[in-house]
């Protein structure tokens, strides 16, 4: 009987310890659950959400760039380099960063050469145009195009409009692809010594 009583006492001790451990675990779980519903934590979360919404609202209220409200101006000159290849240099009042497509077409053959360039500080440069042997004498048509707004940088789009609706002036027309308004300027140039006697309204580039 004494041995049996000792075993029973030890069992009661283990049982008491086990109950104490379970109680501690329950308290820990209750504490964790309480922290999830902590009013202070909820308040901080709400404040963070309000700050995010306020920041988003401020971004939405950022004023857009002023619309481009001047008639479009594009002026340019063509010059032959010593290797008889052509350079096109010009200026425009369009917003800096505007993309231009410069096309040089030989009138006799219809051969076209083109180059993309961007407006920087009101000026642009494109070229050189021509093969390694240079341009043959004859007439050339040079066109500087402002393509559709969809291909322009975002800050330029904001100024000229998503469909170029803020563009105006005699150089402005409608895109052939139906993508809004575009601008274009064209001039004719004659290259070579034999062209100095021409009476056409063209610019003559004389090769010495």
């Amino acid at each position: 009987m004494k041995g049996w009583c000792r075993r029973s006492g030890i069992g009661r001790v283990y049982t008491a310890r086990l109950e104490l451990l379970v109680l501690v675990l329950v308290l820990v779980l209750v504490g964790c659950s309480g922290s999830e519903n902590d009013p202070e934590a909820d308040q901080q979360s709400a404040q963070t959400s309000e700050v995010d919404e306020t920041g988003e609202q401020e971004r939405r209220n950022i004023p857009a760039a002023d619309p481009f409200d001047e008639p479009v101006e594009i002026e340019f000159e063509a010059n032959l380099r010593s290797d008889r290849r052509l350079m096109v240099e010009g200026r425009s009042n369009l917003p800096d960063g505007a993309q231009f497509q410069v096309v040089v077409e030989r009138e006799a053959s219809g051969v076209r050469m083109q180059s993309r360039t961007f407006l920087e500080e009101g000026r642009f440069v494109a070229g050189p145009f021509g093969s390694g042997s240079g341009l043959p004498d004859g007439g050339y048509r040079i066109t500087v195009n402002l393509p559709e707004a969809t291909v322009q940088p975002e800050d330029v789009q904001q100024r000229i409009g998503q469909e170029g609706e803020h563009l105006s002036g005699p150089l402005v027309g409608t895109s052939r692809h139906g993508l809004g308004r575009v601008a274009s300027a064209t001039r004719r140039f004659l290259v070579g010594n034999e062209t100095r006697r021409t009476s056409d309204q063209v610019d003559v580039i004389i090769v010495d």
Side-chain angles (χ1 to χ4, degrees):
M1 291 296 293
K2 290 183 179 179
W4 180 84
C5 290
R6 283 197 296 271
R7 286 196 299 272
S8 177
I10 293 172
R12 286 195 295 273
V13 169
Y14 284 142
T15 300
R17 290 181 177 178
L18 181 59
E19 291 176 350
L20 178 61
L21 180 59
V22 170
L23 179 60
V24 171
L25 289 175
V26 169
L27 291 175
V28 170
L29 291 175
V30 170
C32 292
S33 176
S35 64
E36 292 178 357
N37 298 321
D38 185 2
E40 184 176 351
D42 292 342
Q43 183 178 2
Q44 292 178 351
S45 177
Q47 290 176 348
T48 302
S49 177
E50 291 177 359
V51 170
D52 292 342
E53 292 178 359
T54 302
E56 180 64 23
Q57 186 65 29
E58 290 178 351
R59 285 191 291 271
R60 291 177 181 175
N61 291 334
I62 294 177
D66 293 335
F68 184 76
D69 58 358
E70 308 173 28
V72 174
E73 298 177 1
I74 302 175
E75 299 179 359
F76 60 91
E77 297 286 344
N79 297 286
L80 281 178
R81 305 193 322 176
S82 58
D83 59 0
R84 290 183 61 96
R85 300 176 72 190
L86 192 72
M87 296 294 299
V88 177
E89 302 181 15
R91 67 175 189 84
S92 175
N93 64 339
L94 285 162
D96 276 351
Q99 178 189 144
F100 289 118
Q101 194 76 17
V102 181
V103 180
V104 177
E105 179 180 2
R106 189 183 181 197
E107 294 178 338
S109 63
V111 172
R112 292 162 59 94
M113 299 160 281
Q114 60 185 8
S115 177
R116 183 178 64 176
T117 186
F118 293 87
L119 191 67
E120 296 183 9
E121 296 183 355
R123 306 195 67 82
F124 63 90
V125 178
F129 297 94
S131 62
S133 58
L135 296 178
D137 290 355
Y140 293 84
R141 186 178 300 275
I142 302 177
T143 303
V144 177
N145 295 311
L146 175 76
E148 295 87 352
T150 54
V151 304
Q152 299 293 338
E154 183 177 351
D155 53 344
V156 176
Q157 290 185 32
Q158 292 179 357
R159 295 289 312 281
I160 68 176
Q162 296 298 316
E163 296 183 354
E165 61 269 20
H166 300 314
L167 299 176
S168 64
L171 301 181
V172 176
T174 302
S175 167
R176 292 180 300 174
H177 308 293
L179 298 177
R181 296 169 67 80
V182 295
S184 179
T186 300
R187 293 177 65 182
R188 292 183 63 217
F189 291 84
L190 295 176
V191 176
N193 287 322
E194 296 302 320
T195 61
R196 63 174 74 237
R197 295 191 299 271
T198 183
S199 60
D200 294 341
Q201 296 297 316
V202 296
D203 294 280
V204 178
I205 304 176
I206 299 174
V207 181
D208 294 330

